Amino acid sequence: MQNTWDVIVVGGGTAGLPCAIFAARRGAKVLLLDAADKLGGALHLAQGQLSAAGTKVQKARGISDTPDEHFADILRISKDTVNHPLVRLAVDNAAETFDWLMDCGFEMVPEHPVEGRAHEPYSKQRYYWGVDYGRSLVKVLVAQVQPEIERGAVTLRLSTPVEALDMENGTVRGVVVGKGDAREVIRGRNVVLTCGGYAANPEMFSALNGLPLFGQGAYPHSQGAGITLGLSAGGYLRGAQSYLSNFGVILENDRYPSPIFGRFNTYPNQRQPWEIYVNTHGRRFIREDEPSVDAREHALLAQPGLRYWIVFDESIRRAAPPQMADRTREDIAALFDRHPMFVKADTLAQLAARMGVPAAALADTVATYNRGHNDGRDALGRAHMPRPLSDGPFYAVKHQGTSVTSTVGLAVNHVLQLIQDNGAPIPGIYAAGEILGAGQLMGSAFCGGMMGTPALTFGRLLGDKVLQFA
Ligand SMILES: Cc1cc2nc3c(=O)[nH]c(=O)nc-3n(C[C@H](O)[C@H](O)[C@H](O)COP(=O)(O)OP(=O)(O)OC[C@H]3O[C@@H](n4cnc5c(N)ncnc54)[C@H](O)[C@@H]3O)c2cc1C
């Protein structure tokens, strides 16, 4: 058995790094363990959108904003489906986290903050991106932890997954790393689980979310190890009722989880739709120019298999702006000859057969849409209808709702201590980050920045204020 650490941080990513940095600055002897061979976790892949109200950047730009307004926006966007105390803790402390990042040299996109991009907009400009997405955050966090490692306050062990917790009479005393002869028990006064979500683990994803993991977009080490560890300590899970997928991506193939190929631009505020969206029954399910991204996502949630086809004809293909931001019209046309998610046919009936949807339903859907176009009155209320779908060949591109983050997470109390289902804290163990699940912080919605910012903030709070050392 090894010596006792003040804090054992399990996972050196978004939440774990600030925890280790701030605990070390308070004089703690910190052990930082990570399963990966590098620090930074999901931030290497993430967009890294953050949200914080009352920041120095906002004040400098004359934007008046408060955590109360941020909280009210989250209740509005999530339709009050979030965990109030956790969201309160996150928004009340987000500005201090963001200001700290800026003081450390975080490179923000110069025209930010903005009200929103990708998700339902906030009522205030409180949305910040790094110039290099999540990697801008990795740069800052690694630069801050490095001196702590060099002066010996933080001991870092990479490629060291925690396999189990060391427990004694219901108290967490440390962690176990290595297996067989290499098995090591490491003791610590505080164990902090910051080892991320489970969105790269198809079995856990389907067990907790009740549907398959269709796409592979999560950090490969997001295997849900922390969920297993937390449950083994007596913790329990929250948020299962809140699953929501994005509005669809194009997968490489039908073998789940499949790599993600790309997506059509389905944001009407960036590109008005010329196409129609058709579910596996061959029916439209939303007005394609629905302005609310949340409404579009919830409409997709109700569709079989969380999938739909984007359908158009030759005249639209020729006239509409390209549907993919990074490809020309010709690049996209070429995909219909080689990509399994892009199908093309001379007639609608043949197209339906290639899509695997009922031909009569697709014919009726297109005829109804065309009538609506001619009458200027769409059955689903769509306003932007530049052309009917009448000239073959016809085209369809399959889109699949999927997730890159975890909805379900461990229950914690107001100081981020793991709790049992009777509310009693489990001594010696805390949790922060995606391990708490999107369902608690964003409810049944995507609230901009409300995964990355709470992860950073809760990690900071644990290291700076919550954890008690000898
Ligand atoms: C593509 C993508 C885009 C996203 N975009 C946004 C966004 O724009 N805004 C937003 O708010 N959120 C976004 N998110 C979500 C957000 O980035 C994550 O929820 C957040 O970074 C997770 O932080 P974390 O500290 O919990 O986990 P991570 O940052 O993933 O850190 C966990 C660490 O634990 C390590 N680990 C795993 N298992 C073990 C183990 N057994 N022992 C030791 N270490 C272990 C991992 O290797 C990893 O380094 C996005 C996520 C993805 C994947």
Side-chain angles (χ1 to χ4, degrees):
M1 189 166 316
Q2 288 209 349
N3 55 350
T4 297
W5 299 84
D6 291 321
V7 185
I8 300 175
V9 181
V10 184
T14 323
L17 284 170
C19 179
I21 293 162
F22 281 90
R25 287 182 188 168
R26 276 172 65 211
K29 205 171 131 212
V30 180
L31 176 64
L32 177 59
L33 301 168
D34 203 294
D37 60 4
K38 61 181 175 198
L39 291 170
L43 292 176
H44 288 283
L45 301 182
Q47 300 287 313
Q49 306 156 349
L50 304 179
S51 56
T55 61
K56 287 186 201 163
V57 170
Q58 285 179 314
K59 284 178 193 136
R61 301 201 178 162
I63 302 163
S64 129
D65 195 12
T66 61
D68 283 350
E69 289 168 275
H70 194 181
F71 187 71
D73 264 352
I74 290 168
L75 295 194
R76 169 180 60 81
I77 293 168
S78 72
K79 302 186 182 67
D80 198 359
T81 52
V82 294
N83 177 319
H84 283 216
L86 278 188
V87 170
R88 214 48 269 190
L89 187 68
V91 300
D92 286 349
N93 292 283
E96 201 174 329
T97 303
F98 187 77
D99 290 345
W100 169 66
L101 292 168
M102 290 299 283
D103 289 346
C104 296
F106 175 64
E107 284 178 85
M108 185 184 72
V109 171
E111 65 269 21
H112 282 207
V114 293
E115 285 163 1
R117 251 165 84 173
H119 303 307
E120 210 64 20
Y122 284 122
S123 59
K124 291 285 175 74
Q125 293 164 271
R126 67 168 78 94
Y127 205 33
Y128 319 78
W129 286 26
V131 291
D132 194 19
Y133 304 97
R135 290 178 295 274
S136 296
L137 290 163
V138 177
K139 199 170 152 193
V140 167
L141 294 171
V142 169
Q144 293 301 308
V145 81
Q146 203 55 44
E148 304 304 335
I149 295 170
E150 279 159 20
R151 73 179 178 91
V154 172
T155 298
L156 172 64
R157 288 177 64 180
L158 294 172
S159 306
T160 309
V162 167
E163 307 286 349
L165 295 174
D166 179 43
M167 303 224 16
E168 205 173 82
N169 302 325
T171 295
V172 175
R173 298 278 185 212
V175 301
V176 178
V177 299
K179 291 180 180 160
D181 290 347
R183 185 176 187 277
E184 235 182 291
V185 176
I186 308 175
R187 284 264 163 115
R189 293 188 184 87
N190 302 277
V191 171
V192 183
L193 296 179
T194 48
C195 36
Y198 58 84
N201 178 334
E203 290 77 30
M204 192 178 284
F205 188 94
S206 81
L208 295 181
N209 294 342
L211 76 177
L213 177 62
F214 293 108
Q216 268 173 37
Y219 189 55
H221 289 278
S222 299
Q223 292 292 331
I227 298 277
T228 309
L229 294 172
L231 292 177
S232 76
Y236 76 102
L237 299 175
R238 287 172 173 161
Q241 70 290 350
S242 294
Y243 180 75
L244 184 64
S245 89
N246 61 28
F247 193 61
V249 295
I250 305 165
L251 297 180
E252 288 282 5
N253 56 56
D254 278 328
R255 291 185 299 282
Y256 308 133
S258 156
I260 294 170
F261 174 74
R263 61 176 297 174
F264 273 20
N265 186 342
T266 52
Y267 292 95
N269 58 349
Q270 296 169 19
R271 177 190 179 278
Q272 282 286 324
W274 290 53
E275 306 77 11
I276 59 169
Y277 304 164
V278 168
N279 68 12
T280 54
H281 298 310
R283 300 289 177 192
R284 290 172 67 212
F285 59 94
I286 181 107
R287 58 175 276 209
E288 292 79 0
D289 58 356
E290 163 59 56
S292 160
V293 55
D294 184 66
R296 297 197 299 274
E297 287 157 351
H298 278 91
L300 177 58
L301 197 59
Q303 305 313 309
L306 265 183
R307 65 184 68 105
Y308 65 101
W309 294 86
I310 297 187
V311 178
F312 52 102
D313 74 347
E314 179 63 12
S315 108
I316 291 174
R317 190 193 74 72
R318 286 175 187 275
Q323 296 99 338
M324 297 175 90
D326 47 352
R327 286 171 198 263
T328 63
R329 195 174 285 123
E330 292 67 37
D331 290 343
I332 297 168
L335 291 168
F336 288 90
D337 298 324
R338 60 179 167 84
H339 196 291
M341 302 300 150
F342 290 69
V343 298
K344 169 180 164 184
D346 288 337
T347 66
L348 271 180
Q350 288 165 348
L351 189 76
R354 298 216 170 131
M355 292 160 68
V357 306
L362 184 64
D364 181 55
T365 296
V366 171
T368 307
Y369 175 75
N370 290 349
R371 261 197 314 280
H373 168 268
N374 292 339
D375 300 347
R377 216 176 27 220
D378 179 53
L380 299 183
R382 171 167 164 174
H384 186 259
M385 295 186 285
R387 290 189 186 208
L389 278 69
S390 47
D391 299 338
F394 295 92
Y395 301 86
V397 180
K398 194 178 190 179
H399 278 66
Q400 176 66 58
T402 188
S403 309
V404 294
T405 55
S406 320
T407 306
V408 179
L410 290 169
V412 289
N413 64 13
H414 62 292
V415 286
L416 305 168
Q417 260 180 314
L418 224 64
I419 53 172
Q420 303 172 37
D421 59 6
N422 62 7
I426 301 165
I429 186 159
Y430 299 78
E434 194 171 318
I435 200 170
L436 305 181
Q440 300 203 71
L441 275 311
M442 305 196 294
S444 327
F446 292 109
C447 303
M450 280 305 287
M451 297 208 72
T453 325
L456 293 159
T457 300
F458 291 171
R460 177 179 70 78
L461 288 175
L462 282 168
D464 199 23
K465 301 204 165 87
V466 175
L467 300 177
Q468 300 301 314
F469 319 126

